[in-house]
Each structure stands twice: as structure tokens, then as C-alpha cells.
Amino acid sequence: MADATTAARARIDRALAELERKILELKARPASAPEIADDDLFAPRATGQRVAELEAAGREASEALGRAVQAVREALAESEAG
């Protein structure tokens, strides 16, 4: 069980590190940089209000993910200790 727990923790840590790297890359882009191509060619262009809604949803999702990761880490720590 400890091997599976260790592997799960390592996968979570790698995923979080990758997510943080991508976020830092996006934050480091200058405002004058060209737009990043959208994966969905048929998606409508976002209005200022829609962008604000998406940013708020992103923050909420990020906070929820952070809480979930913490809960998983605590559960893994308890299983290793017990």
C-alpha cells in the first residue's frame, strides 16, 4: 500500500509542478505578446464580462483543486502513519 501511496503522491506533485510551470509561463508573457492560438476554432471570442467570469471560475477551480490536493496529501500521510 505504501508503494501505491508514494506513487500517487509523486503523480500529484508532478501534476502540480507542471500546472505551476504553465501558469508562470503565462504570467511572464508580456502584454504585447501575440495571442495564444485557441484550441477551439469555433469558440466565440470572449467579451470583457465573459473573461472576468472565466477568470473568477478559474480562481474558484484553483482554490478547490488546492483544497482537494491538501485533503489527498493528508489522507496519504495518515495511511502511511497508520
Side-chain angles (χ1 to χ4, degrees):
M1 180 70 172
D3 291 335
T5 302
T6 303
R9 178 178 286 164
R11 284 193 305 272
I12 289 170
D13 287 340
R14 281 193 305 272
L16 285 174
E18 180 69 14
L19 181 61
E20 288 177 21
R21 183 188 64 78
K22 288 180 181 182
I23 290 170
L24 290 175
E25 284 177 3
L26 288 173
K27 285 183 175 182
R29 289 175 51 86
S32 61
E35 288 187 23
I36 297 175
D38 192 4
D39 291 342
D40 186 353
L41 298 176
F42 301 102
R45 286 279 185 210
T47 63
Q49 179 182 357
R50 181 67 178 144
V51 169
E53 291 170 356
L54 291 171
E55 288 175 347
R59 281 190 299 275
E60 290 174 14
S62 176
E63 291 167 2
L65 179 59
R67 289 189 302 271
V69 167
Q70 187 59 36
V72 169
R73 285 183 175 153
E74 289 171 3
L76 292 174
E78 287 176 9
S79 70
E80 286 179 352

